[in-house]
Amino acid sequence: MKIAILGTGAVGTTIASRLVEIGHQVMIGSRSKTNEKAIEFVQKFDRNISNGTFEEAANFGDIIFNCIKGEFAVGALKSIEKIIDNKILIDVSIPVNTKNGMPFTLIPELCNTNSLGEEIQKNLPNTKVVKTLNTMWSTLMMTPSMLKDGDHTNFICGNDTEAKETVKILLKEIGWKEESIMDLGDITGSRGMESVLHLWWKIWGSTIGTFSIKVVN
């Protein structure tokens, strides 16, 4: 499958590496095709990966991962709206407010009664937005078995049921167990998923090593 990764940070490059490893063709996109970080990253591989602009990557991918910083995501995605019409956009970003330093908080207009996932869907009504993978460290996203043999919870939400099923197939290919994927319903589930940031920071500051969330009943 052809998959685009928008964003060249730790999350984007970790996802790209894993997708190439399991046999997908990947293009990592940034604002400029001459982005040195993207070029340097791509040169580590001998096949199945390339870099380009957001527009080129969006054209390339059958599925697109949004790994753009939350504060810039809506504007960047809006600029390629027509290209990603009717495509699946997997949103792993969080609307982090970095203006006041750490500990980070959520952008006020994108929490409580709204979320980044919802805002993206609102601005790209023809794109099939699916939120997932945003409640854990980037390496754990792509290697769930590194913690308790994958026995922890990954949440997913979105308005399009068929799109979510397609994303679930990809998640299982990455290594997620079906019983560890919890569907929270429509895209308003992003509110809870993104709000985990507050809990995540507190846990991160109180523990050493890799951790995740598990829902038990």
Side-chain angles (χ1 to χ4, degrees):
M1 183 184 295
K2 293 182 177 180
I3 300 178
I5 311 291
L6 306 183
T8 58
V11 174
T13 54
T14 300
I15 292 173
S17 296
R18 178 62 174 148
L19 293 175
V20 170
E21 180 185 352
I22 60 178
H24 293 287
Q25 298 178 58
V26 173
M27 178 178 282
I28 189 163
S30 51
R31 293 188 184 278
S32 169
K33 192 168 184 175
T34 58
N35 182 297
E36 292 182 5
K37 188 173 182 180
I39 293 170
E40 183 178 342
F41 174 73
V42 166
Q43 288 174 343
K44 297 178 182 179
F45 301 84
D46 58 6
R47 55 181 167 68
N48 286 345
I49 190 166
S50 58
N51 72 288
T53 62
F54 286 150
E55 293 84 355
E56 289 170 330
N59 268 313
F60 172 87
D62 299 315
I63 290 178
I64 297 101
F65 275 84
N66 170 40
C67 305
I68 302 167
K69 287 183 178 179
E71 55 197 318
F72 307 119
V74 174
L77 292 170
K78 189 70 176 171
S79 72
I80 54 173
E81 177 182 6
K82 295 303 180 184
I83 301 174
I84 56 178
D85 269 1
N86 298 311
K87 291 189 177 185
I88 295 173
L89 178 75
I90 301 176
D91 177 34
V92 304
S93 189
I94 300 174
V96 177
N97 181 1
T98 61
K99 294 178 181 177
N100 299 320
M102 295 178 65
F104 295 140
T105 57
L106 297 172
I107 296 172
E109 59 269 27
L110 294 176
C111 62
N112 295 323
T113 57
N114 195 13
S115 64
L116 179 58
E118 290 172 86
E119 196 68 17
I120 292 171
Q121 186 64 87
K122 187 191 309 178
N123 278 272
L124 285 76
N126 298 321
T127 299
K128 302 168 185 178
V129 181
V130 177
K131 190 91 181 184
T132 192
L133 293 171
N134 74 299
T135 57
M136 67 203 73
W137 178 44
S138 58
T139 300
L140 190 57
M141 292 179 187
M142 295 292 106
T143 317
S145 61
M146 72 182 294
L147 182 63
K148 302 294 183 181
D149 194 32
D151 187 19
H152 47 99
T153 306
N154 178 30
F155 304 99
I156 187 171
C157 69
N159 294 344
D160 190 297
T161 300
E162 187 175 336
K164 284 193 290 185
E165 290 305 314
T166 298
V167 174
K168 288 176 185 178
I169 290 170
L170 181 59
L171 289 172
K172 286 184 277 189
E173 188 180 349
I174 288 166
W176 284 95
K177 299 175 181 179
E178 184 165 4
E179 60 268 26
S180 295
I181 303 171
M182 177 172 282
D183 193 331
L184 298 183
D186 67 23
I187 196 64
T188 60
S190 294
R191 298 178 192 181
M193 293 165 66
E194 294 170 9
S195 294
V196 167
L197 172 75
H198 296 296
L199 177 62
W200 198 96
W201 275 119
K202 287 296 184 181
I203 296 173
W204 182 74
S206 303
T207 190
I208 297 174
T210 301
F211 65 90
S212 187
I213 294 170
K214 180 181 178 181
V215 176
V216 296
N217 55 20

